Amino acid sequence: MKPFAYRRATDARSAVATVAADPDAAFLAGGTNLVDHLKLGVACPSLLVDVSDLAADLVEHLPDGGLRIGAGTRNSDLAAHPVVRAHYPLLSEALLSGASGQLRNAATTAGNLLQRTRCGYFRDATAPCNKREPGSGCPAVAGHNRHHAILGASPDCVATHPSDLAAAMVALDATAVVLGPDGERRVPIGGLYRLPGDDPTRDTVLAHGELITAVELPAPFGGRARYRKVRDRASFAFALVSVAAAVRMHDGVVEDLRLVFGGLAHRPWRAAHAEDALRGSAPTEVALRAAADAELLDARTLSGNGFKVPLARNTLVSVLRELTDGAAEPEDDA
Amino acid sequence: MTDQLTPNAIGRDVARADGPLKVLGAAPYAYDQPLTDPLYLCTVDATVVRGRVAGVDASAALAMDGVELVLTHENAPELSTEDGELRVLQSPEVHFRGQVVAAVVATTTEVAAAAAGAVVVTYDTEPFAVTAGSDPAGLHAPEKVNAGYPTDTDDGDLDAAVAAAAFTVDEEYTTARTHNNPLEPHTTVATWTGGDLHVFEASQSVFGARRVLAGVFGLDPERVRVTCPYVGGGFGSKGSPHAGAVVTVMAARMLPGRSVKFALTRRQMFRLVGYRPRMTQRVRLAAAPDGTLTGVGVDVVQESARIKEYAEQTAVAARMMYAAPNRRTSHRLALLDIPVPTWMRAPGEAPGMFALETAIDELAARVGIDPIALRVRNEPERDPATGKPFSSRHLVDCLHEGADRFGWYDRDPRPRSRRVNGWLVGYGVAASTYPAYRMPANSAVVRYTADDRYRVEIGASDLGTGAWTALAQIAADALGVPQDSIDLAIGDTRLPRATVAGGSSGTASWGTAIVEAARAFRDKFGRTPEPDDEVFADAPENTAAKDFALHGYGAQFAEVRVHEDTGEIRVPRLYGMFDAGRVINPRTARSQLVGGMTMGLSMALHEDSVMDTALGHTANPDLGEYHIAANADVHEIRADWLGIPDERLNPMGSKGIGEIGITGTAAAIANAAHHATGVRVRELPITLDKFLR
């Protein structure tokens, strides 16, 4: 671990100015991801600007019926918030499926969204990794890739984004409020994340020094929602596949829906093809399978993650079957 | 028969003597000992798999404030050992990725780590082999396997039995490379004063650590003291010192009078302290039409390190478990450029009983009889391996009693016959076994101090299992006094000699010495001793081992659910019934058995150290990527015991319980998963992808 300087920010503007001015500076919030990376030698900032004291842990109603969540709101607090539980249960469910109680107590909303993509080779400072050391190669392509991407990957990087919260936020059409040196801008969470392409070093579209100060949710989508996470153990594991889904039914037909996969790509994967296939249709078993297959048509598997294709399909179908409330009968495969 | 203790303190559900200290954080583990101005060591680990260190540039590290020493193969003291794991920094050769190639000692851990990062090591590399089958040298037959068992056995004619059998099984079973990963990492604190060495070492055996370190450094063991009052788990990996201990003692030798401390990182725990090697077992069973076994064959191919052979006794349990006139077993090693494996909880039996007990389940299905009935049908009269009678063997009782308590006979034996809310539900059973070892060379001192108090001394180790408590219970009954009259002293080579907390032998071995000393004390001083009256005694010879086959047994039952859509596998219930002799302390015993079963669950479902064949090291070396069972994976796990003392074994009538709990668990779970789904998984861990369609 490299020695670093530490500064406690007292206001967002000066924190942004400080970090923006120093290419080796980084924001520190809950520290559940960055501190790991410091210890592993994966991140070596010379200055940490601690933003966890900024009064950014408020959850407030917005005039349009939406909700504004302060960036510093801890995962545990957000998951337990009565308004979130009542009107955005998808969010609570996603948060509570992530990490452990101890980590959720420390982790913040923005910090969760901005955790780095997850890959064992990225975390191993002795291994090549294009994300950590551009041009050094990607050992995951031919190596241990059980957890890696089947959608939107590139030859340079096959890592997946691990945030459950992010997948739910995309499904909820949330927007990040971002403060930069030149002022504030709004970035839909659906557009926050990048695919790796030929520059996997950046996970998001944020510029160095930009700080998420809040996340805004539109008025509730209505209907029924579910966050279903499938992983290698019952808790405290990253998703192999997750599905954030919200469905509004009308007269036995899918009126509108939002479907997002986690665990399949470098970013939360909005399943737009599947949504289009089902919007306005009766959710029969055949239709659900066809929608899932449409989304996974472009899946490209690696040596160890081929199972993610049937797993993603089955999980999506399973969740949609549940949300459409028996409108489609499960096949009896006895 | 041994003269049995009259149980009074033993058999009682007594809380851990060391519990309050541990809860308060006041129990001094090896790394926690108060020292004056200690120094901290950080190693530099090889980033290549095989080759030679071409050069070490330590100038930047040496220029840093607080750096006291950089140790390399060029300035390291010469060691007097041929042990390939312990010959640290004796040559520029690199034998596995992650090997210690240099070490920095500094005034703080932070400076030591920063300086270690500033040491520049260059290498000449050579081609390497890290997976079995990739090594052109082929397979190697060890001279013997762990614990001194023969490598191969061949009784009768297995091939003829298979050819003539009504039913056969011939399948390969693979168990993953798994890591011990105790909560407390391995730590060493070493201080040289004159020619004397004092080491605080996280160890399952202070005397074993002394013997090894004295040998490595060419010292009279009397000049080496090893202290370790508390251990945060080891599972075998702290059974003997590893490279980290050697490099720390070496560094301290170059800094006389200073204490040097070293604690491994979690990532280093995946390469420097041993692990259970990956292996494949071909199991052949031959049976008559009614399921009577006519042949059992197990052929093991296991990975090991080129620099130090370790052959797990994987097929040994199959030599003894079931009556079959024709038996053939073998162990072969693929010697690779990988870290050195070692003991991990029930070496041999843990992987061996996965393969054998899964194969037995497969045979039961083929014969079409209940798997419990098949086992009962093949219960041997005498130990098939040695021809000796069993000192006691209550496997059939465990199976029957366990089946009743678990509710085994509720099940419809057909696979895929039960479905609850989208989950396929199945039951599985497997047998457990582990030898009832008692080690030679244990001694104890009993001293009357004053005011009805007795001090009992033995250099035993409590690796977290409850020795502090159980040994006091034994001493109390041996002296005929209440348990709170006993002041126990363990964990130091200044105390009487004691053997390892390993092989599930601790309580039997140390307890026998304590009982011997206590009885000698009473013989000499009667019931009314004077202060400082003292007796030293050696434990008597283990004569039962000559005449009898000594083993513990058990039966484990699992309920498994597999999700129809996702293949997710859950184990809502595990139940174990054990033949463990007399239980000294039900509370700590239950912890051991339930802990073993939990580790067996983890072996079944989660643990898998993945070798990256290009980089040549474990690709998932931390607890984020290498999964062990989390709380949510562990639902109802219960362990009970028959409670029948084995009076031939020792004065307590006890059998070891530290390891038997992990044996058979994975097979019970795999068998239950097969019952649930119809899918037979023969490669651990049992992950969801194996059920996906």
Side-chain angles (χ1 to χ4, degrees):
Chain A
M1 186 153 90
K2 201 178 92 174
F4 56 85
Y6 171 88
R7 213 169 292 166
R8 196 177 279 271
T10 50
D11 69 280
R13 277 186 196 289
S14 63
V16 166
T18 305
V19 172
D22 180 351
D24 288 331
F27 295 114
L28 174 72
T32 58
N33 193 223
L34 179 58
V35 173
D36 265 10
H37 288 170
L38 295 176
K39 290 196 236 174
L40 292 169
V42 168
C44 306
S46 55
L47 169 66
L48 291 184
V49 176
D50 189 337
V51 293
S52 58
D53 268 2
L54 303 181
D57 59 350
L58 291 175
V59 178
E60 309 164 287
H61 288 285
L62 293 172
D64 65 353
L67 205 63
R68 181 185 167 94
I69 301 161
T73 308
R74 306 285 162 174
N75 289 181
S76 300
D77 294 337
L78 185 59
H81 197 281
V83 175
V84 172
R85 290 179 56 171
H87 300 294
Y88 303 94
L90 185 66
L91 215 52
S92 284
E93 215 176 350
L95 281 163
L96 293 175
S97 74
S100 65
Q102 293 90 334
L103 286 168
R104 293 193 295 269
N105 287 342
T108 64
T109 302
N112 183 317
L113 295 174
L114 295 179
Q115 64 185 298
R116 301 301 309 268
T117 55
R118 187 88 186 181
C119 171
Y121 298 101
F122 175 66
R123 290 164 57 80
D124 177 358
T126 73
C129 169
N130 290 323
K131 189 180 284 287
R132 192 166 22 77
E133 274 178 64
S136 61
C138 176
V141 168
H144 179 42
N145 48 40
R146 177 175 177 80
H147 296 269
H148 289 70
I150 59 170
L151 291 168
S154 77
D156 287 344
C157 182
V158 292
T160 50
H161 201 277
S163 171
D164 299 298
L165 178 64
M169 287 286 196
V170 172
L172 291 169
D173 244 348
T175 299
V177 180
V178 176
L179 185 65
D182 304 322
E184 195 170 276
R185 67 178 178 130
R186 299 168 62 80
V187 181
I189 305 284
L192 177 64
Y193 299 99
R194 296 177 67 255
L195 290 178
D198 59 5
D199 178 16
T201 60
R202 292 168 60 221
D203 294 349
T204 71
V205 300
L206 298 187
H208 178 75
E210 285 194 308
L211 178 69
I212 296 181
T213 56
V215 177
E216 293 186 356
L217 302 176
F221 180 71
R224 298 171 66 186
R226 177 95 161 91
Y227 190 77
R228 174 78 162 97
K229 181 173 179 179
V230 180
R231 45 190 153 174
D232 271 331
R233 61 182 170 189
S235 77
F236 203 6
F238 295 100
L240 293 167
V241 170
S242 70
V243 171
V247 181
R248 271 203 318 262
M249 296 290 291
H250 185 71
D251 280 348
V253 165
V254 177
E255 182 183 67
D256 199 7
L257 77 169
R258 307 252 183 81
L259 301 175
V260 179
F261 280 120
L264 297 189
H266 197 262
R267 66 178 190 211
W269 190 267
R270 181 81 180 253
H273 296 298
E275 289 180 8
D276 292 344
L278 287 171
R279 199 175 284 110
S281 305
T284 62
E285 186 76 11
V286 170
L288 297 182
R289 282 179 185 267
D293 288 340
E295 194 61 51
L296 295 165
L297 202 60
D298 295 331
R300 294 288 174 272
T301 60
L302 303 165
S303 54
N305 69 359
F307 70 95
K308 281 192 170 188
V309 175
L311 181 62
R313 184 195 63 215
N314 292 1
T315 306
L316 186 69
V317 170
S318 181
V319 166
L320 287 172
R321 216 189 268 145
E322 181 189 328
L323 292 180
T324 54
D325 200 19
E329 291 301 321
E331 272 178 14
D332 185 9
D333 60 351
Chain B
M1 295 289 167
T2 55
D3 187 6
Q4 294 289 292
L5 287 183
T6 303
N8 185 13
I10 66 173
R12 285 204 192 174
D13 190 282
V14 180
R16 284 167 189 278
D18 48 334
L21 275 181
K22 287 184 174 174
V23 171
L24 292 167
Y29 289 80
Y31 199 76
D32 302 332
Q33 304 288 334
L35 299 162
T36 308
D37 294 333
L39 298 169
Y40 297 87
L41 182 139
C42 184
T43 61
V44 180
D45 303 339
T47 54
V48 303
V49 183
R50 188 174 182 182
R52 293 169 63 86
V53 172
V56 181
D57 179 356
S59 52
L62 285 165
M64 292 169 79
D65 276 349
V67 172
E68 299 273 337
L69 172 70
V70 176
L71 202 55
T72 71
H73 70 275
E74 285 165 353
N75 64 352
E78 197 179 321
L79 301 176
S80 54
T81 179
E82 293 308 309
D83 184 312
E85 182 187 11
L86 301 179
R87 285 183 54 76
V88 183
L89 301 179
Q90 298 301 290
S91 81
E93 305 291 327
V94 175
H95 302 285
F96 63 90
R97 187 166 174 141
Q99 176 188 315
V100 174
V101 292
V104 175
V105 179
T107 48
T108 68
T109 50
E110 289 80 6
V111 171
V119 175
V120 180
V121 183
T122 51
Y123 302 92
D124 296 324
T125 60
E126 293 169 30
F128 60 82
V130 292
T131 52
S134 66
D135 177 22
L139 297 175
H140 161 78
E143 232 170 81
K144 58 186 181 187
V145 297
N146 186 45
Y149 293 100
T151 300
D152 296 348
T153 59
D154 193 355
D155 300 284
D157 187 341
L158 178 66
D159 292 334
V162 168
F167 296 101
T168 59
V169 172
D170 184 353
E171 300 288 356
E172 283 198 345
Y173 303 86
T174 299
T175 49
R177 181 181 311 106
T178 56
H179 298 269
N180 308 50
N181 269 322
L183 188 57
E184 179 204 30
H186 291 57
T187 65
T188 304
V189 181
T191 314
W192 287 81
T193 312
D196 292 321
L197 170 66
H198 187 189
V199 180
F200 295 98
E201 169 79 356
S203 175
Q204 294 170 228
S205 173
V206 289
F207 281 90
R210 179 173 82 163
R211 185 179 62 248
V212 168
L213 292 174
V216 167
F217 288 90
L219 299 168
D220 176 353
E222 292 302 319
R223 307 204 71 176
V224 180
R225 179 182 174 194
V226 178
T227 305
C228 182
Y230 301 99
V231 190
F235 309 114
S237 67
K238 291 175 185 163
S240 192
H242 298 286
V246 173
V247 75
T248 308
V249 173
M250 203 183 245
R253 185 176 222 176
M254 294 176 76
L255 297 159
R258 302 297 302 273
S259 297
V260 177
K261 304 181 67 164
F262 180 46
L264 270 70
T265 64
R266 184 59 64 183
R267 292 174 95 81
Q268 287 178 315
M269 298 282 287
F270 284 78
R271 55 194 194 228
L272 291 178
V273 302
Y275 56 93
R276 192 192 309 283
R278 183 178 174 84
M279 61 185 90
T280 296
Q281 303 170 59
R282 180 186 179 195
V283 179
R284 279 178 291 174
L285 301 178
D290 67 350
T292 301
L293 281 168
T294 54
V296 174
V298 179
D299 298 298
V300 186
V301 175
Q302 177 215 300
E303 65 182 2
S304 188
R306 202 188 298 278
I307 50 164
K308 183 179 180 179
E309 185 179 290
Y310 169 75
E312 199 151 324
Q313 66 272 41
T314 305
V316 166
R319 297 172 184 169
M320 173 278 298
M321 273 310 280
Y322 300 110
N326 304 290
R327 301 181 309 279
R328 190 156 83 212
T329 62
S330 69
H331 297 85
R332 294 292 179 274
L333 301 177
L335 298 178
L336 304 169
D337 304 303
I338 59 177
V340 178
T342 190
W343 312 301
M344 179 169 171
R345 205 172 198 166
E349 282 78 9
M353 290 296 277
F354 165 67
L356 178 66
E357 292 298 295
T358 310
I360 288 284
D361 199 70
E362 299 204 51
L363 180 65
R366 287 173 203 187
V367 175
I369 66 172
D370 184 87
I372 292 176
L374 181 72
R375 289 179 174 88
V376 173
R377 184 158 300 167
N378 290 291
E379 177 71 1
E381 291 284 317
R382 299 168 81 89
D383 175 14
T386 61
K388 294 177 190 173
F390 294 103
S391 68
S392 66
R393 174 169 166 135
H394 303 292
L395 173 60
V396 170
D397 297 329
C398 289
L399 287 162
H400 287 323
E401 186 66 26
D404 285 344
R405 297 204 199 178
F406 178 78
W408 173 257
Y409 296 106
D410 297 347
R411 78 167 196 160
D412 177 339
R414 291 171 304 158
R416 286 185 86 84
S417 56
R418 196 167 155 213
R419 187 181 265 105
V420 178
N421 294 331
W423 294 81
L424 298 164
V425 183
Y427 289 178
V429 63
S432 302
T433 191
Y434 194 79
Y437 292 120
R438 176 159 82 74
M439 303 296 181
N442 281 276
S443 310
V445 162
V446 170
R447 181 163 60 248
Y448 179 69
T449 43
D451 303 326
D452 294 327
R453 300 204 67 76
Y454 294 81
R455 182 174 161 89
V456 176
E457 300 182 341
I458 183 164
S461 301
D462 186 337
L463 74 160
T465 50
W468 277 107
T469 317
L471 295 186
Q473 289 174 270
I474 291 168
D477 282 359
L479 285 164
V481 299
Q483 192 187 335
D484 60 9
S485 296
I486 305 296
D487 296 311
L488 185 70
I490 63 171
D492 200 315
T493 53
R494 289 194 166 171
L495 302 170
R497 65 184 180 158
T499 49
V500 65
S504 300
S505 68
T507 303
S509 307
W510 311 324
T512 300
I514 289 171
V515 171
E516 191 72 9
R519 286 175 173 164
F521 183 93
R522 284 290 184 236
D523 286 348
K524 188 166 178 188
F525 301 112
R527 304 276 329 162
T528 54
E530 297 295 318
D532 295 330
D533 282 349
E534 174 181 300
V535 159
F536 171 98
D538 293 322
E541 201 191 338
N542 184 1
T543 52
K546 288 199 204 93
D547 302 327
F548 295 96
L550 315 176
H551 303 273
Y553 296 93
Q556 296 201 29
F557 298 83
E559 177 182 333
V560 162
R561 297 186 173 214
V562 178
H563 196 278
E564 277 189 285
D565 291 321
T566 62
E568 290 159 293
I569 175 164
R570 301 283 183 263
V571 182
R573 269 199 311 151
L574 270 181
Y575 182 80
M577 172 57 78
F578 295 95
D579 161 20
R582 187 194 303 284
V583 164
I584 308 296
N585 181 336
R587 186 180 311 205
T588 52
R590 188 160 273 120
S591 285
Q592 282 299 292
L593 295 169
V594 167
M597 292 167 73
T598 305
M599 211 163 173
L601 167 83
S602 198
M603 170 187 176
L605 302 187
H606 305 300
E607 298 193 38
D608 187 12
S609 173
V610 179
M611 178 61 70
D612 184 292
T613 54
L615 297 177
H617 70 169
T618 295
N620 52 342
D622 62 40
L623 295 179
E625 313 289 329
Y626 175 92
H627 285 174
I628 58 172
N631 289 353
D633 295 293
V634 178
H635 294 260
E636 183 185 313
I637 300 188
R638 284 197 52 184
D640 289 325
W641 43 85
L642 299 171
I644 306 169
D646 186 332
E647 299 189 354
R648 292 195 173 92
L649 292 176
N650 56 58
M652 294 76 68
S654 65
K655 296 181 179 180
I657 49 171
E659 290 162 273
I660 192 167
I662 195 178
T663 70
T665 321
I669 290 170
N671 296 341
H674 173 259
H675 180 229
T677 63
V679 177
R680 181 64 74 178
V681 179
R682 301 187 183 90
E683 181 174 6
L684 298 183
I686 307 167
T687 45
L688 57 82
D689 45 289
K690 288 161 181 150
F691 303 102
L692 278 178
R693 299 196 291 181

